[in-house]
């Protein structure tokens, strides 16, 4: 096409808005539409591995070859590094060539935004695999998650990537859902604070973060992937929306992705209420809304709210969905629809303006722009691995301990390390890790390091480094039911002084594992024959440490009383094995806390600890008790921590005021501790049924042996707001109960405060954070 046409849009001395409007005013309809699509180029070896997702071929029926797709430019490039095992140099060559072709094919030389997945680290070959999102929740440490996200962002930015499709802010309502591992847990405040930290970290490296999935995806009927969501609007407004609003207002996130599931029949990809009224008009969002892959096609083929792809595209862009991913389909028809007066050009311009604004801010319209790629970048550097180790260590939760832990390596005796997770490093990673997401499709042994591409010591490897006398039997697989080798594992336990039994999940996609996207379950019994394995080992009488490495909580009520200790890990990543060995042997202190409760029984799942009185144990009205075995926030230390001195600054609080609430925690043991001090509240009486208790804030407190620290929480009345009978957000006068303790089920300190004044409407921006001060 020759030299690109230049103009004010290339002038960095002008404002972003001036540059965007100048360029928008010069573009044809086809050039505008080109900015709202993407291209996903499948290499030959990728296509040979089969579909990325079910119905992919049907959803991709309108896909054009790359050369035709980019004739007037391109908005995005989909996963250049993330869908096949390429080196940085190979991916860089491909990305440079594609960007050059795109720039040469449009009049203005506009490049495309390159996006990748980054939920458990950069989803690229031989990149660091960090703990998955549920493990972030277990750290209760926003500063650490921000540090991790910044490291991920730097690696992505070094390879020419502009946008990451993370974090996931879905609030878990049923742990049988396969994507629980991708969430941060069941509490909106923990999700909001940790997701906001992730957003800040990723965007500090110049990579746009993407909140997903807006909204309600994790509350699907029967916990089935993509199933309809039927919940009251109040639950949506007060529980599901909260973390999204926090990450948007507090984190200034650059992008949001829609949910697949319909909300009471309304498809989010076509919901003006969600994508415009709430996101933009109520919350003031200025970034882009990107489609979850093929969700525009879903409007016709799955939701059936559109007769064809033209109508699907018109519905989506009119609702506020700016960019169609993973490739352009129905959006290609938008230029013709404007010409035929079926779509106002102003609607098209609105979305194009948002895309161009991002590109200007990213410096992509500067003269001479080309991808900045450091081909020498080490995507699994020593610094990354050390950071992954710290996150893994802080994410492991000690659920029970009768004094067996920590193990003394010099006196541990004979240790039988049993179970299918012990020597399979894939069990340390989530479904969006590159080894499980991509490499699992290739024949075993195709890639180095046991086929997973990066060095990943197993639990067995790590324990053998620390303990002198270790034997091993797998006992059974994870995915299939096979109990043939359980007797051998039980014999090994009987001959040992201690048994460490490792059970849990193997993450996969669409039924290829026991956890992950499309890997939903009927109940919360351990997969395969693992329950039988645990029972057989316990029957030997050998003291048993149960280690659960999983993507969701599993019911442990039938075995917990007989275990000497129980440790829960949520896919702790490539350094998970060494981190677990560190915890078991006392090299580090157990500091993780449950971001989601562990159930007692496999059926009758609770909907989470945040429930009104009728959602709690009904004391005989129903024979089913939803009380968890281990509640939200639970986690033990190797030391003893006591709570004293609950203080309220005032007995009354104006409905628009603030108050300080404090307590003192004491480490009375002989080892250091990191206590997660948790502040809960309950609305004693309200015009609608309210949760019995809900987390208001938390603080991670480092305590040396014998040390005490005072934790003071600054609480604004906005934090007590809820949707009233008419769905208006209000702060209502009345008594608020307050509790402080180590978990939702253990709250030794209590008080109450009287909210005074007239009922106050809370419109517009509000206080979303309850900060803590520690002295």
């Amino acid at each position: 096409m020759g030299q690109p046409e230049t103009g004010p849009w290339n002038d960095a001395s002008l404002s972003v808005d001036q540059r965007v409007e100048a360029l928008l005013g010069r573009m044809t309809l086809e050039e505008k539409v080109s900015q709202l699509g993407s291209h996903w180029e499948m290499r030959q070896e990728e296509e040979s591995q089969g579909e990325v997702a079910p119905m992919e071929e049907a959803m991709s029926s309108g896909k054009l070859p790359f050369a035709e797709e980019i004739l007037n430019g391109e908005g995005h490039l989909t996963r250049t590094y993330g869908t096949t095992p390429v080196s940085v140099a190979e991916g860089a060559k491909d990305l440079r060539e594609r960007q050059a072709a795109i720039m040469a094919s449009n009049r203005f030389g506009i490049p495309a935004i390159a996006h990748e997945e980054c939920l458990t680290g950069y989803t690229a070959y031989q990149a660091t695999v960090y703990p998955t999102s549920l493990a972030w929740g277990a750290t209760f440490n926003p500063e650490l998650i921000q540090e991790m996200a910044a490291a991920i962002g730097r690696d992505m930015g070094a390879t020419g990537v502009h946008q990451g499709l993370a974090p996931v802010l879905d609030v878990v309502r049923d742990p049988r859902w396969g994507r629980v591992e991708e969430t941060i847990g069941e509490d909106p405040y923990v999700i909001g604070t940790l997701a906001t930290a992730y957003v800040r970290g990723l965007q500090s490296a110049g990579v746009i973060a993407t909140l997903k999935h807006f909204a309600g995806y994790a509350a699907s009927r029967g916990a089935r992937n993509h199933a309809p969501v039927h919940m009251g609007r109040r639950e949506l407004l007060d529980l599901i929306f909260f973390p999204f609003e926090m990450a948007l207002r507090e984190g200034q996130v650059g992008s949001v992705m829609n949910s697949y599931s319909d909300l009471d029949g309304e498809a989010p990809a076509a919901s003006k209420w969600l994508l415009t009224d709430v996101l933009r008009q109520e919350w003031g969002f200025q970034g882009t809304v990107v489609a979850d892959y093929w969700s525009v096609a879903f409007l016709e083929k799955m939701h059936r709210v559109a007769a064809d792809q033209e109508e699907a595209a018109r519905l989506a862009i009119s609702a506020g969905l700016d960019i169609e991913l993973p490739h352009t389909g129905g959006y290609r028809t938008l230029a013709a629809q404007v010409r035929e007066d079926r779509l106002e050009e102003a609607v098209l311009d609105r979305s194009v303006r948002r895309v161009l604004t991002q590109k200007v801010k990213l410096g992509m319209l500067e003269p001479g722009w080309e991808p900045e790629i450091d081909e020498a970048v080490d995507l699994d550097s020593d610094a990354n691995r050390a950071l992954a180790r710290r996150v893994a260590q802080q994410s492991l939760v000690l659920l029970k301990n009768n004094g067996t832990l920590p193990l003394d390596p010099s006196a541990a005796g004979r240790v039988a390390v049993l179970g299918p997770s012990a020597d399979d490093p894939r069990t340390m990673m989530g479904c969006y890790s590159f080894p499980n997401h991509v490499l699992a499709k290739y024949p075993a042994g195709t890639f180095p390091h046991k086929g997973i591409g990066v060095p990943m010591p197993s639990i067995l490897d790590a324990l053998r480094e620390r303990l002198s006398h270790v034997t091993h039997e797998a006992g059974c697989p994870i995915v299939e039911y096979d109990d043939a080798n359980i007797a051998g594992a039980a014999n090994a336990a009987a001959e040992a002084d201690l048994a460490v039994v490792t059970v849990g999940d193997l993450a996969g996609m669409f039924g290829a594992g026991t956890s992950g996207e499309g890997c939903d379950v009927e109940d919360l019994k351990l997969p395969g024959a693992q329950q039988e394995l645990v029972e057989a080992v316990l029957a030997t009488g050998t003291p048993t440490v149960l280690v659960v490495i999983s993507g969701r909580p599993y019911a442990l009520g039938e075995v917990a009383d007989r275990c000497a200790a129980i440790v829960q890990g949520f896919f702790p990543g490539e350094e998970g094995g060494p981190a677990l060995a560190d915890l078991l042997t006392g090299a580090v202190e157990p500091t993780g806390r449950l971001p989601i409760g562990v159930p007692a029984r496999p059926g009758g799942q609770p909907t989470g600890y945040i429930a009104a009185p009728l959602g709690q144990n009904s004391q005989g009205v129903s024979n089913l008790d939803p009380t968890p075995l281990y509640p939200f926030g639970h986690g033990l230390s190797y030391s003893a921590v006591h709570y004293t001195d609950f203080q309220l600054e005032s007995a009354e609080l104006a409905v628009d005021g603030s108050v300080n609430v404090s307590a003192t925690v004491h480490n009375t043991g002989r080892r250091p501790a990191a206590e997660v001090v948790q502040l809960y509240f309950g609305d004693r009486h309200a015009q609608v049924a309210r949760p019995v208790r809900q987390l208001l804030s938390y603080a991670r407190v480092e305590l040396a042996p014998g040390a005490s620290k005072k934790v003071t929480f600054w609480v604004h009345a906005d934090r007590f707001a809820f949707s009233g009978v008419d769905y208006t957000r209000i702060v209502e006068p009345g008594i608020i109960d307050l509790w402080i303790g180590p978990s939702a089920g253990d709250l030794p300190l209590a008080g109450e405060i009287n909210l005074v004044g007239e009922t106050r409407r809370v419109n517009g921006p509000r206080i979303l954070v309850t900060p803590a001060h520690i002295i």
Side-chain angles (χ1 to χ4, degrees), residues 416 418-419 473-476 485-494 533 537 540:
L418 311 171
E473 293 285 343
C476 65
N485 295 316
I486 288 179
N491 289 337
L533 170 65
V537 172
T540 68

Side-chain angles (χ1 to χ4, degrees), residues 2 26 37 54 88 163 199 204-206 271-272 301 309 411 417 444 473 509 572 610 631 653 748 750:
R26 287 284 299 149
V88 172
Q163 182 165 348
V199 167
S204 73
S271 173
K272 178 180 176 294
K301 299 180 183 297
Q309 280 301 285
V417 180
E473 293 285 343
M509 302 284 288
I610 302 173
L653 173 64

Side-chain angles (χ1 to χ4, degrees), residues 125-165:
Y125 183 50
Q126 297 187 317
T128 303
V129 180
Y130 293 91
T132 197
S133 312
L134 201 55
W136 312 348
T139 71
F140 280 75
N141 190 340
E143 292 79 14
L144 180 62
I145 300 311
Q146 182 168 335
E147 183 182 353
M148 179 196 72
I152 295 169
R154 286 192 296 270
D155 285 343
M156 297 175 77
T159 59
V161 175
H162 310 103
Q163 182 165 348
L165 303 186

